[in-house]
Amino acid sequence: MPERLTEMLMDTWTPLIILWITVLPSIYMAPMNQSQVLPSGSSTGLKRLNEEQRVLHRSKRGWVWNQMFVLEEFSGPEPILVGRLHTDLDPGSSKIKYILSGDGAGTIFVINDKTGDIHAMKRLDREEKAEYTLTAQAVDRDTNQPLEPPSEFIIKVQDINDNPPEFVEGPYHATVPEMSVVGTFVTKVTATDADDPVYGNSAKLVYSILEGQPYFSIEPHTAIIKTALPNMDREAKEEYFVVIQAKDMGGHMGGLSGTTTVTITLTDVNDNPPKFAQSLYHFSVMEDVALGEPIGRVKANDLDIGENAKSSYDIIEGDGMDIFEITTDAQTQDGIIRVRKPLDFETKKSYTLKVEAANIHIDPRFLGGGPFKDTATVKIVVEDADEPPVFSSPSYLLEVHENAALSSVLGQVTAHDPDASSSPIRFSIDRHTDLERQFNINAEDGKITLATPLDRETSTWHNITIVATETRNHSQVSRVPVAIKVLDVNDNAPEFASEPEAFLCENGKPGQVIQIVSAIDKDDPKNGHYFLYSLLPEMVNNPNFTIKKNEDNTLSILAKHSGFSRQKQELYLLPIVISDGGTPPMSSTSTLTIRVCGCSSDGVVQSCNAEAYVLPIGLSMGALIAILACIVLLLVIVVLFVTLRRHKNEPLIIKDDEDVRENIIRYDDEGGGEEDTEAFDIATLQNPDGINGFLPRKDIKPDLQFMPRQGLAPVPNGVDVDEFINVRLHEADNDPTAPPYDSIQIYGYEGKGSAAGSLSSLESSTSDSDQNFDYLSEWGPRFKRLGELYSVGESDKET
């Protein structure tokens, strides 16, 4: 009831307050102090006026007004009166003129120059400009002389509630966790009001919710939005649309308002356990499925989303826990069941598993609602498949002696068909593993036999692959590796390990060890090698050397006496018999070459050749060979140099004084023209080298040498020039040694009976004087100069 009474009082007083705000500025527009006097000395007339009034107190500024106000957005039929300017110097006559300048003077504000009244000519908006600074001055109307200094004053635009609140940042989006308690902070909104926050309640805002109750509430003054209901469930409703209102004037009647929307989304929490869509799943799988292949999927649905919906799957019970496994698909959150071990329809035809799905991320606040996991039963039926043969062993190892007879049995492999039909099996060898076809196998029973002789020293191991194929279905094939080890047989005699050669010093002592030799045997006896060394029976009483068996299975060669000489005997041959202890024993005879050498005092071999005795002192055989090699090299260099000098290339163009093409032949007599062949010898035009029939080109050096063609006989003096030219032209056209560049050969004779006639001037009946060269001037500017020259020549002759 008190709240209702307060609202009624506010409704009654609000219009009165607005009327008071509107009328109040006009009350203060008039000057309040008219007793102030302008400073003396402003003008002569004003001085007399002050003397008559006999003002005895201190002179001060004569303007009288307060700060002026004008109401914004005021509109009426006439301009609104803002205020009036008045000076004590104004006696009421029309001699004083008021002038206004500054912000908006003359456009927005206009002053009456006689009365000083200031009017606002336009509607003003405080939000655009809150105050105007102007300058007023009183001047003499006749002389425009200032009666006192200008004074500055301010006109303030008084605010009214003409701007509603605005949400600049709206619309808003906010989130809050689901299942939150009442009063949980959601978000905060902010509205702005362009009105004056200092004057009145035009900018005092109050917030309220128009839509969104009873789920959310808002603080009226802070605009903080909070939850109003507990345990809001995202799975029931995820998004809420809330409308917020901001109202000025403190929320009272007559205030302006603005609204915005807030979209509030409930974020997920893990408040729901996973749940299988069905309690029993059935799957079937072929027994020959590959390991790791998926055979089925199960799905536990979770109403939550994101991380809260992730689950892990496990097999917790069943008779196939070691046969199957289950993993989680990260994309779909399905449980994928895979085969972990091989299946056998003949052994076990079905399996039963119990699968559990549990949340990974659990919120402790909701543990009281029950366990966040679920279980389901999975039954898997194994179906029969046509399986390939199965060998009795995954691999086989066979042993055979290298001297085994051909077609002897090395071993046997067995395989069977695991299917109930039990198809017969055929065996074969993969020949890619037995390229030399050293083994065979019986297709029926799998016995492996020897096809070619074996040699352990060549290859100790042989690895082949046996193929088993069902006779009823050739696509069912199995393979197994078989390793065959070749056992050793004593079939190789021992021999020296290195080249049997020893060096004996001339200054050696009796009993001195000349050489220690060792033997090798390609065989590999089980107890290791043991060699026996002996001399041939005829060499047992050798006067020069003897042998001694060492404990390390080596042999020492000893000299029986001293005084060996290269000049007397340079080489000694010592046959030695080497035998092993195998069954049967094998032996070989190797001859040891003992070379007598010259040695230093400490036993270092220096020279083993008898020719070293005949060499000059201080000059060895190697030095002589080096000297001879240098001499031969010098001789080869000299021969090459001489040969190159002899075969020096000639220049391409050979100058020859006898070449008629390089000479100028002059004749003092003019002759009788082209048909006159008596005045000169035609043989002069011939190439002197052409007499033998071969005409070489001396201006070039041909790359290829051609056989000389049959030349013509020397031409007599009375030969026809036409025939001579044709012959020479034919020779030039068919000359294989002609240069690759163009060669111009000019023959001025046209032949007998030519229509052009003779070009000789001897038989010409006309002279230059009879010719007219005026036509040259008609041939254009290029022949103009030539025509002038001939014209000048004719004029000179006439003169």
Side-chain angles (χ1 to χ4, degrees):
M1 188 67 182
E3 294 179 356
R4 179 61 180 168
L5 179 61
T6 303
E7 292 180 0
M8 292 178 62
L9 292 176
M10 290 301 298
D11 294 342
T12 304
W13 282 99
T14 298
L16 296 177
I17 294 173
I18 295 174
L19 180 63
W20 178 79
I21 292 173
T22 305
V23 177
L24 181 63
S26 60
I27 299 175
Y28 292 97
M29 289 178 188
M32 296 180 62
N33 187 1
Q34 298 183 5
S35 63
Q36 295 176 346
V37 183
L38 287 174
S40 60
S42 59
S43 64
T44 306
L46 293 176
K47 285 183 178 181
R48 289 196 299 267
L49 181 60
N50 291 335
E51 290 177 356
E52 293 176 357
Q53 295 178 355
R54 296 186 181 278
V55 179
L56 301 178
H57 53 77
R58 179 175 61 87
S59 298
K60 55 185 177 180
R61 185 178 299 274
W63 292 105
V64 181
W65 73 84
N66 282 335
Q67 190 175 16
M68 296 184 182
F69 297 89
V70 60
L71 195 64
E72 71 167 332
E73 302 295 343
F74 181 83
S75 61
E78 295 181 358
I80 183 174
L81 178 63
V82 179
R84 175 178 297 173
L85 300 181
H86 184 72
T87 178
D88 295 339
L89 301 179
D90 188 359
S93 62
S94 59
K95 291 185 177 294
I96 295 177
K97 179 180 179 181
Y98 296 98
I99 299 175
L100 185 66
S101 62
D103 295 340
T107 57
I108 300 176
F109 302 102
V110 177
I111 189 172
N112 189 322
D113 60 353
K114 294 181 179 180
T115 63
D117 294 339
I118 299 175
H119 292 81
M121 308 301 294
K122 299 180 179 179
R123 295 176 58 181
L124 302 179
D125 188 358
R126 189 200 66 83
E127 287 71 35
E128 293 182 2
K129 192 173 180 64
E131 60 181 31
Y132 297 84
T133 301
L134 296 100
T135 302
Q137 191 175 24
V139 299
D140 188 271
R141 185 177 294 276
D142 296 332
T143 63
N144 284 331
Q145 294 295 325
L147 301 179
E148 59 183 21
S151 296
E152 187 177 90
F153 65 98
I154 297 174
I155 298 179
K156 288 190 175 182
V157 180
Q158 200 169 29
D159 183 49
I160 64 171
N161 188 19
D162 59 343
N163 291 281
E166 293 183 356
F167 292 91
V168 180
E169 299 178 358
Y172 295 86
H173 294 271
T175 59
V176 64
E178 64 173 333
M179 312 302 288
S180 297
V181 298
V182 176
T184 301
F185 174 84
V186 179
T187 188
K188 180 180 180 181
V189 297
T190 302
T192 59
D193 196 321
D195 292 327
D196 191 355
V198 179
Y199 181 77
N201 295 326
S202 299
K204 186 177 182 180
L205 305 180
V206 175
Y207 298 91
S208 61
I209 291 182
L210 300 183
E211 295 182 18
Q213 295 175 337
Y215 305 104
F216 302 95
S217 63
I218 188 171
E219 291 288 338
H221 300 290
T222 61
I224 295 177
I225 301 175
K226 300 180 180 179
T227 57
L229 285 180
N231 301 327
M232 287 189 289
D233 192 3
R234 184 198 65 83
E235 289 74 29
K237 185 176 181 180
E238 183 177 5
E239 192 173 83
Y240 294 85
F241 189 76
V242 180
V243 178
I244 304 297
Q245 181 190 62
K247 189 174 183 181
D248 58 14
M249 297 299 293
H252 297 295
M253 183 180 295
L256 302 178
S257 63
T259 60
T260 187
T261 59
V262 181
T263 302
I264 301 176
T265 303
L266 298 182
T267 58
D268 185 59
V269 297
N270 192 8
D271 58 340
N272 294 281
K275 186 71 175 177
F276 281 104
Q278 56 194 74
S279 59
L280 180 62
Y281 293 86
H282 292 274
F283 299 106
S284 62
V285 58
M286 300 296 294
E287 63 173 334
D288 59 350
V289 64
L291 298 183
E293 284 291 319
I295 63 173
R297 288 173 176 256
V298 296
K299 179 64 177 293
N301 298 314
D302 195 325
L303 297 178
D304 298 322
I305 59 175
E307 294 292 326
N308 297 321
K310 289 185 177 181
S311 300
S312 62
Y313 296 87
D314 292 298
I315 300 176
I316 58 176
E317 292 181 11
D319 53 359
M321 294 181 62
D322 58 338
I323 305 297
F324 302 94
E325 64 179 358
I326 186 169
T327 58
T328 304
D329 189 333
Q331 300 295 330
T332 62
Q333 291 299 307
D334 293 344
I336 305 175
I337 302 175
R338 303 177 187 271
V339 178
R340 188 175 179 182
K341 291 183 178 180
L343 302 177
D344 188 6
F345 172 80
E346 290 74 21
T347 303
K348 189 173 181 60
K349 297 179 175 58
S350 64
Y351 296 90
T352 301
L353 306 175
K354 188 174 183 180
V355 179
E356 180 185 75
N359 278 148
I360 299 176
H361 306 284
I362 299 177
D363 194 335
R365 296 177 299 172
F366 306 102
L367 285 176
F372 282 79
K373 56 186 177 181
D374 192 18
T375 59
T377 303
V378 178
K379 289 189 175 183
I380 301 174
V381 177
V382 181
E383 297 183 357
D384 189 22
D386 190 3
E387 299 176 86
V390 178
F391 284 94
S392 59
S393 176
S395 63
Y396 292 87
L397 174 62
L398 305 179
E399 293 182 349
V400 58
H401 287 89
E402 59 179 330
N403 61 349
L406 298 181
S407 300
S408 59
V409 178
L410 309 183
Q412 184 179 12
V413 296
T414 58
H416 70 280
D417 185 4
D419 299 324
S421 59
S422 184
S423 171
I425 306 299
R426 290 186 63 85
F427 300 95
S428 62
I429 296 178
D430 186 354
R431 291 304 177 182
H432 292 90
T433 61
D434 185 24
L435 298 176
E436 298 180 0
R437 296 182 175 271
Q438 293 181 296
F439 307 97
N440 292 325
I441 189 171
N442 190 303
E444 303 297 333
D445 57 11
K447 291 182 178 180
I448 301 174
T449 58
L450 184 64
T452 61
L454 300 178
D455 186 7
R456 189 202 65 83
E457 289 71 34
T458 303
S459 179
T460 305
W461 289 92
H462 297 272
N463 296 306
I464 61 176
T465 299
I466 304 300
V467 180
T469 307
E470 291 185 8
T471 57
R472 297 176 185 174
N473 185 0
H474 296 289
S475 62
Q476 297 299 328
V477 177
S478 295
R479 299 172 182 269
V480 67
V482 176
I484 301 175
K485 183 180 180 180
V486 182
L487 301 179
D488 184 52
V489 174
N490 192 25
D491 57 349
N492 291 278
E495 57 187 7
F496 281 122
S498 59
E499 187 69 21
E501 185 177 11
F503 298 95
L504 173 62
C505 293
E506 290 179 317
N507 55 0
K509 299 179 181 180
Q512 181 179 355
V513 176
I514 301 173
Q515 184 77 13
I516 298 177
V517 295
S518 61
I520 58 173
D521 193 338
K522 294 181 181 179
D523 295 325
D524 186 17
K526 295 182 179 179
N527 298 325
H529 291 288
Y530 181 78
F531 300 115
L532 298 175
Y533 301 94
S534 63
L535 296 176
L536 290 177
E538 60 270 20
M539 299 295 294
V540 172
N541 298 320
N542 191 308
N544 298 316
F545 308 100
T546 184
I547 60 175
K548 178 184 178 183
K549 173 72 183 319
N550 300 320
E551 296 181 358
D552 58 354
N553 221 14
T554 59
L555 179 68
S556 297
I557 312 298
L558 293 83
K560 285 187 175 182
H561 62 83
S562 61
F564 291 93
S565 176
R566 284 177 289 175
Q567 292 180 337
K568 182 178 180 181
Q569 186 174 351
E570 182 181 0
L571 295 176
Y572 293 91
L573 301 178
L574 183 64
I576 299 175
V577 179
I578 310 173
S579 61
D580 56 18
T583 303
M586 302 292 293
S587 64
S588 66
T589 301
S590 299
T591 301
L592 179 65
T593 302
I594 302 175
R595 191 180 300 274
V596 180
C597 302
C599 302
S600 62
S601 59
D602 54 354
V604 178
V605 177
Q606 291 183 340
S607 176
C608 297
N609 296 327
E611 291 80 0
Y613 285 99
V614 301
L615 295 177
I617 299 176
L619 191 61
S620 64
M621 181 64 71
L624 287 176
I625 295 175
I627 293 173
L628 291 176
C630 293
I631 294 174
V632 172
L633 181 61
L634 290 175
L635 290 175
V636 171
I637 294 174
V638 171
V639 171
L640 290 176
F641 179 75
V642 173
T643 304
L644 292 176
R645 290 293 302 270
R646 290 182 178 180
H647 292 79
K648 185 177 181 181
N649 294 333
E650 296 180 0
L652 295 178
I653 300 177
I654 303 173
K655 295 184 178 180
D656 191 357
D657 294 339
E658 295 180 358
D659 190 357
V660 297
R661 291 175 295 178
E662 301 292 336
N663 299 327
I664 301 175
I665 302 175
R666 298 183 179 180
Y667 304 92
D668 293 335
D669 58 328
E670 296 183 358
E674 294 177 353
E675 297 180 359
D676 185 5
T677 60
E678 303 294 336
F680 62 93
D681 187 4
I682 193 64
T684 309
L685 297 178
Q686 300 174 0
N687 193 333
D689 297 333
I691 299 175
N692 297 327
F694 177 64
L695 300 176
R697 301 295 298 261
K698 292 186 177 182
D699 54 347
I700 63 170
K701 185 177 182 179
D703 295 333
L704 301 175
Q705 298 295 332
F706 293 87
M707 294 299 294
R709 61 179 180 274
Q710 185 65 29
L712 299 176
V715 181
N717 294 338
V719 72
D720 185 12
V721 177
D722 183 15
E723 182 180 356
F724 170 77
I725 292 175
N726 289 331
V727 171
R728 290 294 181 261
L729 180 61
H730 177 73
E731 293 178 356
D733 291 340
N734 295 278
D735 187 2
T737 62
Y741 49 85
D742 294 338
S743 179
I744 302 177
Q745 300 184 21
I746 301 175
Y747 303 94
Y749 182 67
E750 296 184 0
K752 294 182 179 181
S754 174
S758 176
L759 299 179
S760 176
S761 60
L762 298 177
E763 299 179 358
S764 178
S765 61
T766 59
S767 62
D768 292 341
S769 60
D770 298 333
Q771 297 182 9
N772 186 5
F773 298 98
D774 293 339
Y775 62 87
L776 293 175
S777 61
E778 299 177 358
W779 287 5
R782 295 184 179 181
F783 297 92
K784 182 178 180 181
R785 179 59 179 166
L786 184 60
E788 292 177 354
L789 293 175
Y790 277 93
S791 299
V792 172
E794 292 180 359
S795 61
D796 292 343
K797 291 180 181 180
E798 293 177 357
T799 305

